[in-house]
Structure formats: structure tokens, C-alpha cells
Amino acid sequence: MPLNFARGLTGRERTKEANSRLGVVLAFVAGAINAGGFLAVHQYTSHMTGIVSSMADALVLGEYDIALAGVGGLLSFLFGAMASAMMVNFARRRRLSSEYALPLLLESVLLLGFGLAGTTLQGFEGLFVPATVMLLCFIMGLQNAVISKISRAEIRTTHITGTLTDIGIELGKLVYWNRAERADLDIGKVLANRARLLTLTMLAAAFFVGATVGAQGFKTAGYLSTVPIAVILVGLACVPAVDDLGRLARSRRAGQTSEGHKGSL
């Protein structure tokens, strides 16, 4: 059952329930990385709105080094999204079960490397801080793109501005007073999508809980606090990847057996 659950979360066959569950977990992960990353480098890396605004402010104030650092973060997020799309499409064209799992496995490897090497490299602050910002932005772009492709852009996990906007829209529908239907205009009642409202609320809550856990984890354990997050991602993504490896191994054995039979004729 746990294997089937993990396979359903990140496998090729999708359901709305699986998309929502995966989105909640990834929102937790994003919140943890964003808050922990802020304590590490004093900059949020999950939303590009703030980075673009800081670039504009820096240009006006003549702080060109800060503006250039913002460009690095922006491009890293963009490259992360590009890498995710390329990996998903590569796996999809080969009908791999791990088409959505591969970006998450890459994210886990990057986080694991960051957590294990962060303590050693933090002494080189002039290089470490910009590199860390770019790495975390790349990771956020990678994750945001994969959940966007899975949910057809209905779910975002690395920032909650759009999520809160959608919650407000559904709440507005929920409390709307339908005094009378306009039969002459064929207008029915205004009804909230309660299932979507629940999912959106869970996403926002998961991001907040993840941010709290990430901040506390970095305060307590430093860079090593990213290791459990990497383990969570591996747990999410490893089952479809193992399925593909097993399928590849069986295909190779079948091919070798076929060649053996041909050679004996």
C-alpha cells in the first residue's frame, strides 16, 4: 500500500486527489526551503516578484551589484523551470513512469549537496551567498514547473500569492447571497467550489507549516536541516524511478535471451 501510494503521488497516471496531495507536500517543502534559505543568505528565493522589484530598486539607487545578483537569481529560476520541462518531456516521449519524479530526484540531490557542503563552504561568503541564492532559485523553478505541468497550472507550491487570491475568490462565492435567480438572463446561483477551497487552504497552510519547520530547523541544525527535506523528496520520487529501472533491466534480459536463442539456431 505505501508503495502504491507513493507511485500514485509522482507516477505518470494522475488523479486530482494525487495532484492535491503532492501539491500539499511540495508546498511544505517550498516553505521550508524558502524560510531556511532566508536565514542562510538573508533573501527569499521562492518568488520572483520580490527579486524583480529589488532589481529595479537597486538600479535606481545605483547598487548595480545587487541588481546583477537579482539577474542571477531570476535566470536560475528560469533555468530550473526549463530543466524540469526538459526532463518531463524527455521521460514522456519514452513513456517512463518517472516523468514527474525525475525533477524531484534532481531537487533532492541538489538539496542534499547543499546541506552537506553548506557548513564547509559558508566561510567563502563572497562566493557562497550568490551561489546559494542561485541554487535555491534553480530548485524553486524546478519544483514550481513540475507541479504546474502535473496540475495543468492549477497548483503552485513555491509562493502563495496566487493561492490566497484564489482562496479569496472562492470565499467570495461562498458568502455570496443568492437572493433570486435571474431566469430571464439564464443566470444560476453563485456557488463556491468547496473541494478547491479546501485544497487551496491546505496548500497555504502547508507552506506556512513548512516555513516554520524550515526556519526552526536551520536555527537548530544549520545547513544539515535540508537533509530531511531531501529525504522526503526521495521518498516521493523513488518508486516510479525504481519501476523504470526494473522495466529497463527486464527489457535488457529479454533482449539478451532473444540474442542467445538466435545464436543457437
Side-chain angles (χ1 to χ4, degrees):
M1 182 64 69
L3 292 180
N4 289 331
F5 181 78
R7 187 177 290 112
L9 281 183
T10 56
R12 184 174 58 196
E13 302 298 327
R14 308 302 310 165
T15 65
K16 287 187 176 182
E17 291 76 13
N19 292 346
S20 298
R21 291 167 183 162
L22 179 61
V24 168
V25 176
L26 293 183
F28 173 89
V29 169
I33 295 173
N34 197 39
F38 180 82
L39 294 184
V41 296
H42 308 292
Q43 182 173 332
Y44 292 116
T45 54
S46 69
H47 52 287
M48 295 298 101
T49 305
I51 289 182
V52 172
S53 298
S54 68
M55 288 168 54
D57 291 340
L59 286 174
V60 171
L61 297 174
E63 298 173 339
Y64 301 115
D65 55 334
I66 297 178
L68 186 61
V71 172
L74 191 68
L75 290 177
S76 297
F77 189 95
L78 179 65
F79 290 151
M82 289 173 57
S84 183
M86 291 173 65
M87 294 174 75
V88 169
N89 288 321
F90 174 86
R92 181 175 296 169
R93 291 175 65 87
R94 287 157 181 78
R95 302 190 64 80
L96 299 179
S97 299
S98 57
E99 64 179 81
Y100 299 119
L102 291 178
L104 298 181
L105 286 175
L106 176 58
E107 181 180 354
S108 68
V109 170
L110 294 175
L111 275 177
L112 186 62
F114 172 66
L116 295 178
T119 303
T120 303
L121 298 176
Q122 65 179 332
F124 304 94
E125 185 173 350
L127 178 62
F128 177 70
V129 172
T132 298
V133 170
M134 293 174 66
L135 174 63
L136 295 180
C137 285
F138 180 90
I139 288 173
M140 290 293 93
L142 190 75
Q143 177 178 307
N144 202 43
V146 70
I147 192 63
S148 294
K149 287 186 72 68
I150 286 175
S151 67
R152 299 183 184 275
E154 291 184 359
I155 296 176
R156 296 285 194 274
T157 60
T158 60
H159 54 281
I160 61 172
T161 303
T163 301
L164 290 176
T165 301
D166 291 338
I167 289 175
I169 291 172
E170 294 301 333
L171 286 175
K173 294 178 181 179
L174 185 66
V175 302
Y176 185 81
W177 184 17
N178 293 283
R179 290 193 301 175
E181 297 185 34
R182 296 292 304 276
D184 58 324
L185 297 178
D186 194 25
I187 297 176
K189 290 183 178 181
V190 176
L191 298 174
N193 186 334
R194 295 172 182 267
R196 176 168 170 74
L197 178 59
L198 176 60
T199 297
L200 293 168
T201 303
M202 291 175 62
L203 289 170
F207 189 94
F208 176 77
V209 172
T212 304
V213 171
Q216 183 61 46
F218 187 86
K219 180 181 177 181
T220 304
Y223 295 97
L224 289 177
S225 62
T226 62
V227 175
I229 302 175
V231 172
I232 291 174
L233 291 170
V234 171
L236 287 175
C238 66
V239 175
V242 171
D243 287 344
D244 284 335
L245 290 175
R247 191 176 299 111
L248 178 62
R250 290 191 296 271
S251 177
R252 286 185 174 178
R253 285 197 298 269
Q256 291 172 354
T257 302
S258 177
E259 289 296 327
H261 286 315
K262 290 180 180 180
S264 62
L265 294 177

